[in-house]
Amino acid sequence: MSEIPETASGVVWQSSPPGSIYDYIRVASFSIGPDGLVDQWSKRAVELFGVTAEEARGKDPVEAFMPADLRERGHHRVREILDGKEWTGLVPFRMPGEDRAHGIAELYVMPSETQAGERAALCIVVDVRALRRIETDLAASQAIFGQSPFGFLLFGTDLTVKRANRRFATVFGGSADDHRGRTVHDYLTRPEADRMTVALKKVLETGESVADLQIVGAAPGSSDRRHWSVNLYRVHSGSGRPIGVAGLGIDVTRRHNAAREAASARRNLALLNQAGARIGNSLDLEATARELLDVAVPGFCDLAAVDLYQGLLTGDEAPPGRWGSSHDVGYGAGSAELRRVAVASAVADTPVRVGKPRVAGDDAKTGADAKTGDDAKAGDGGPARTGPAVGATEHSEHSEHTGHSRHTGPTADLCCDTGPVQVGSVHRYPFNSPCAGALRTGRLRTVPGPDGSLVQSTLVVPMVAHDTVVGLVQFSRVKGSEPFGERDRALAGELAARAAVCIDNARLYRREHERALILQRSLLPPGDPEAAGLDIACRYLPGTVGSEVGGDWFDVIELPGHRTALVIGDVMGRGLRAAVAMGELRTAVRTLAQLDLEPAEVLSHLDEIARGLGAPAGAQQSARAHKARGPELSEVYLATCVYAVYDPVTRRCTFANAGHLPPVLLEPGEEALLLDVPPGMPLGVGGEPFEEVEVELPEGALLALYTDGLVESRDHPLDEGLSAFRSALANPGRPLEDVCDHVLTTLDTRHGEDDIALLMARIQGLPSEAVGDWRLPREPRSVGRARELARAQLTAWELEPLVDTVELLVSELVTNALRYGEGEIRLRLLRDRTLVCEVWDAGLVQPRRRRAKDTDEGGRGLQLVGLLSAAWGSRRTPRGKTVWFELPLPDGDGLAEPTVDQLLSMF
């Protein structure tokens, strides 16, 4: 027995199958006795005629329910029925108390007998209106079901097909009746059939419709993937009982392909937009290659690798490779050395045999190009990726957390067949390989994956920028991913081209950057400057971070007598032009320093030189020429400078200032203070003399020279910067390098707004035991006395190997002082990193080296001094002059003994 439905008349037993005709029509019955009157009256008759059993029993049915004009015929039919005849016909009927016909009933009358054997009749009545509705609904249903252009199925409660329309049979074969009793597993693959079954059960159980259920499958005998949109809804009987599920299937393959094409176009645009935003953020070649793979994997492909020409990475000035339209021109015929700089993979961490090019130096031969080239078949033009690669992890998660096995995972070279290439390896592609061909021609190639590999196909794309091939990128998809199509080829070329331009820009930047560094390093003291009696540390930060050149400079220049010139300057302006001007001024300072002039004189000469810089050819270096040049050129070469000369013997330092910030001095146990050095006019202005200030510096004091970029910015006035700088110099007992770092990290320098130069020196005067100082009377025996004093001092210093040379040279210099000089003679020996000997006198005539004639008995003393010493010279002093020579210490690089030819050259 089936379920028991509820009806308006109560509970009835239901044994017929769902969808019985009796669920849609109401059959009423009544009986007529031998007297022709109503004997029994059913409940359905009550519903149909609206008359209760009490009202109907005992009445003549003809008189009660038939119109007056039909009663005669009605009585005739009743008599015939009671005589034993059956009758079926349409009978108009009226409700009691009404004159006009109410409806038409289909009446079926069957003769019967009472218990006493008398003749009676059983009448079955059906309302014709219900039948007409059923006919109309059936015709409409048949029209919709049979003539629908969409596949239509009716599933029973057991989820088998009860009915299918012709359209469905056209797609899946056979006639509509052939599909009765089948299930969805007869049409779909198991995963899709299971999905469909779950949806059918849900609709049948809950009554909730399912709209646009996407199902993928194939028609019998066809391998084409079809996409259907299925709508499901529950079907009920006339009594409201569920009798099955109706399914309407629409073939949306074309719509799906169009949507896929649109999604692919959107994806390509998004990838290009992402490439524009992410590729080229770094002016580093390797970083740019990695940025390309960050965009491509996994959004575009499953595996990727980038090779750049080795010459490109090593700074070779020659372009790595060029190609033209008329003939193929390649760097090294397309087989030059390349370096694998980046690899990305979205597949699982399983070694993938993707091939490797020939390693540099390997002469192994390979076969001809394997069915590759530009005519290789691609996909169907649909570049969208419908699913992750076989064995791949989830793209976004793998990208963020594992970096696609970035740079350390399985490497890929997808057009050869010998093994993987590691990141950083230098290799060559065989001449006949697709990769070498792509490099030679500058054209993209599609290469099928090697046999037995997970790789389905590879796009080999040369990276071309400004008609220059800079490298090669390979994009691969593994089996199970969407094949590469024509749009993919175009997108791969665009990605490679964008990366190539960025890489070429990075190459040009690196070349210019290296040149700028070479220029800057040539303009600054090499390494850590050293000076007698000074511990020195320095820092330089150019304001132009991109080129790392600027107009600030500092210098440490060794002067005779173990003295040191400390220089710091600032050319107005930034960048390369300021650096060039700075280089010219620095060279001029070094040249002037070798003349051993006073600091004020050095700045005066430097001011004249600065005013002449940039003058047109033939213009005189004068104030008139300076004014004629106009303000633009003169402003470029305006500069400030501090020039200081430190004597480690006296620990006195002489300063001269040309418009620069004052030096800062920090004495032990005291606060840092600004030295009161009169600020003259900047270099290049001219017309004003410079003043000198001499300051005695205590042992252990800290002297700081700096440029305004350290203490001044747009947000901080100069006074605040100077105060912060003085505070940052506290605790001077730390190592000088640490003090420099502390200053730069403490001050808000706003690096990038201006150049920064910092030169710091800790005072360490020569100890008294390293100085020998004597005064000699102006008499001939002073020559012998000078030799004795020098010998004794060198013996005390344990420099006996230098005794003979020093005695000879001291004798020559004292003799010249007696012969050509004036006043008292002073002999001084200084021992530090070298040995310096100085002879002072009050004469103003500078010694001049000359070549003596063969007949001259003298005139060869200075030649001998120049031959036996490492360096010699003379300088003016406030009270005369000083002649000096310098010798290396024995434990240093010894001075070579003069050859016979050198000695004979003096004669």
Side-chain angles (χ1 to χ4, degrees), residues 366-606:
T366 59
D369 211 344
K371 293 185 181 180
T372 59
D374 300 322
D375 298 330
K377 285 189 177 181
D380 59 358
R385 315 242 345 260
T386 57
V390 173
T393 58
E394 181 66 21
H395 287 164
S396 61
E397 192 173 296
H398 199 60
S399 172
E400 295 175 7
H401 301 293
T402 68
H404 327 309
S405 303
R406 181 75 64 203
H407 322 309
T408 57
T411 60
D413 187 281
L414 313 177
C415 58
C416 300
D417 56 357
T418 55
V421 175
Q422 298 300 324
V423 174
S425 298
V426 178
H427 58 84
R428 296 175 185 269
Y429 288 110
F431 182 83
N432 290 327
S433 67
C435 294
L439 289 170
R440 285 194 303 273
T441 63
R443 298 176 63 186
L444 179 149
R445 296 195 176 194
T446 303
V447 184
D451 294 338
S453 169
L454 288 179
V455 175
Q456 176 185 177
S457 62
T458 299
L459 296 180
V460 178
V461 190
M463 305 177 72
V464 182
H466 310 118
D467 292 340
T468 300
V469 180
V470 299
L472 187 76
V473 59
Q474 300 176 62
F475 304 110
S476 301
R477 288 182 183 172
V478 300
K479 295 175 181 177
S481 295
E482 191 78 15
F484 286 117
E486 287 302 320
R487 290 189 177 180
D488 291 319
R489 291 163 60 92
L491 178 61
E494 180 65 23
L495 290 175
R498 293 195 179 196
V501 170
C502 295
I503 287 175
D504 194 51
N505 290 340
R507 175 182 69 87
L508 296 175
Y509 163 77
R510 186 169 69 175
R511 185 184 67 183
E512 297 303 321
H513 180 69
E514 289 176 352
R515 290 177 178 178
L517 287 180
I518 293 173
L519 171 63
Q520 190 69 57
R521 289 165 183 166
S522 67
L523 299 179
L524 296 174
D528 295 327
E530 295 182 355
L534 292 176
D535 180 16
I536 296 178
C538 52
R539 295 290 186 274
Y540 177 77
L541 298 175
T544 307
V545 181
S547 62
E548 296 194 18
V549 296
D552 288 12
W553 91 93
F554 63 89
D555 210 343
V556 178
I557 307 171
E558 294 187 28
L559 299 178
H562 286 314
R563 295 171 304 133
T564 302
L566 302 176
V567 188
I568 195 160
D570 183 359
V571 176
M572 295 184 183
R574 299 172 60 183
L576 190 59
R577 297 186 68 186
V580 171
M582 175 267 283
E584 297 185 49
L585 293 177
R586 177 178 179 270
T587 302
V589 171
R590 280 191 159 267
T591 302
L592 293 171
Q594 296 306 317
L595 298 178
D596 211 352
L597 303 176
E598 296 297 325
E601 292 183 79
V602 171
L603 293 185
S604 296
H605 287 292
L606 197 61

Side-chain angles (χ1 to χ4, degrees), residues 173-197:
S175 65
D177 292 338
D178 293 338
H179 295 277
R180 295 181 185 273
R182 295 183 180 179
T183 67
V184 292
H185 287 83
D186 295 317
Y187 306 106
L188 303 174
T189 60
R190 183 167 183 174
E192 293 293 273
D194 290 343
R195 289 179 56 231
M196 184 76 170
T197 301

